[in-house]
Amino acid sequence: MIGKIHSLESFGTVDGPGIRYVVFMQGCPMRCLFCHNPDTWDFNAKAKYEMTPDELFNEVIRYRNFIKSGGVTLSGGEPLMQPGFAEEFFKLCKRKNIHTALDTSGVIFSQKAVDVLKYTDLVLLDIKTADDNLHEKYTGQTRENNKKFLEFLQEISKPVWIRHVVVPGYTFEENRLKALAEYLSQFSVIEKIELLPYHTMGKFKYENLGIDYPLKDVKDLTADELKTAESFFILQ
Ligand code: SF4
């Protein structure tokens, strides 16, 4: 089994607790307007790394001392586009007691995705919007699976960190943020809510790929705006 991997980061500090080895998988079925990794979208594009779960694990284990306070994170793109690979890799990690985090948009909710969760310690669930009508406009996909995914995580008592990008003129709206906070308040498995300020650092990637950048006129979220957004949530 070969995994298509977009990139590797051996010293990640923002994708889960502690210092982590982060694996960015190739391919994503979403097309978020504010995505800063459009270079991960195309599953058929040439991946930087093509590895078996064992090969990846052998790479990770070299950093064992660095990541002992953290662990590994599978991110993307959408790691659940390659669920068999994710399951095998996490299984190897769990055998060596390495903490596993899955960074997903929850857009793929299948039996195979559920199988990956058996070896997942923490889910970093991206919620793009809590508004059913806006979800498809913002991401190209309906919100259905994202909701089912979180409901299932609650059912199996899986720890979750929520991640939400705050974008001026899109998700940075009092009503929308309050609706999201209200929706999330019913899930006791949520340990943390991370609001991520929108930035334009991924813009050059669109230019390189020859894709029109959809949020041309949108500015970075300021620190004050982020504070305002955070005031609607109980954050840990
Ligand atoms: S889910 Fe993530 S990788 Fe996929 S389009 Fe959205 S922001 Fe980009």
Side-chain angles (χ1 to χ4, degrees):
M1 185 194 304
I2 301 289
K4 292 186 75 170
I5 298 167
H6 173 269
S7 48
L8 299 169
E9 189 182 352
S10 54
F11 208 79
T13 55
V14 293
D15 296 304
I19 294 165
R20 312 190 69 84
Y21 194 102
V22 188
V23 181
F24 298 92
M25 304 298 290
Q26 187 74 37
C28 183
M30 303 262 273
R31 292 292 178 267
C32 302
L33 294 176
F34 33 85
C35 178
H36 57 259
N37 289 321
D39 45 338
T40 65
W41 286 351
D42 183 4
F43 180 72
N44 296 315
K46 173 112 189 73
K48 191 162 178 195
Y49 304 96
E50 297 202 352
M51 294 166 130
T52 64
D54 279 287
E55 285 168 340
L56 177 60
F57 180 73
N58 289 338
E59 182 61 24
V60 167
I61 208 72
R62 293 171 51 214
Y63 297 87
R64 193 173 183 170
N65 283 340
F66 293 103
I67 60 171
K68 61 181 178 226
S69 69
V72 299
T73 300
L74 274 186
S75 182
E78 174 49 65
L80 292 178
M81 268 188 89
Q82 302 181 66
F85 179 87
E87 183 184 352
E88 283 311 308
F89 173 62
F90 273 2
K91 207 184 270 183
L92 293 168
C93 294
K94 289 321 304 169
R95 263 189 218 148
K96 292 289 176 197
N97 221 9
I98 296 173
H99 182 272
T100 55
L102 180 72
D103 178 14
T104 177
S105 67
V107 67
I108 297 172
F109 184 57
S110 60
Q111 184 52 49
K112 285 184 171 176
V114 168
D115 292 342
V116 179
L117 294 173
K118 290 180 195 150
Y119 304 97
T120 303
D121 293 313
L122 172 70
V123 174
L124 310 176
L125 182 66
D126 302 319
I127 297 191
K128 310 300 177 181
T129 172
D131 185 319
D132 286 348
N133 298 320
L134 290 175
H135 200 278
E136 199 161 348
K137 191 172 151 207
Y138 285 2
T139 71
Q141 299 279 349
T142 71
R143 193 174 157 232
E144 229 31 61
N145 279 355
N146 183 275
K147 285 194 280 189
K148 283 188 196 155
F149 207 101
L150 182 52
E151 283 160 18
F152 182 71
L153 296 175
Q154 178 70 37
E155 218 174 287
I156 63 169
S157 302
K158 186 68 69 185
V160 184
W161 289 11
I162 298 292
R163 309 173 110 191
H164 179 68
V165 185
V166 186
V167 190
Y170 288 79
T171 54
F172 183 53
E173 289 277 336
E174 183 169 336
N175 287 346
R176 290 177 193 160
L177 290 164
K178 279 183 175 166
L180 176 62
E182 170 73 22
Y183 164 68
L184 295 178
S185 66
Q186 64 186 300
F187 298 99
S188 60
V189 284
I190 296 174
E191 294 181 345
K192 193 172 182 177
I193 299 169
E194 293 183 321
L195 297 184
L196 311 173
Y198 168 77
H199 61 72
T200 47
M201 287 188 296
K203 215 169 174 174
F204 75 96
K205 294 185 185 174
Y206 284 79
E207 281 156 16
N208 290 346
L209 290 164
I211 308 172
D212 200 32
Y213 189 65
L215 303 191
K216 274 186 203 75
D217 302 322
V218 179
K219 297 212 166 63
D220 289 12
L221 192 87
T222 66
D224 281 346
E225 287 170 330
L226 181 63
K227 266 192 202 143
T228 304
E230 285 175 345
S231 69
F232 302 120
F233 293 82
I234 299 165
L235 302 168
Q236 282 131 20

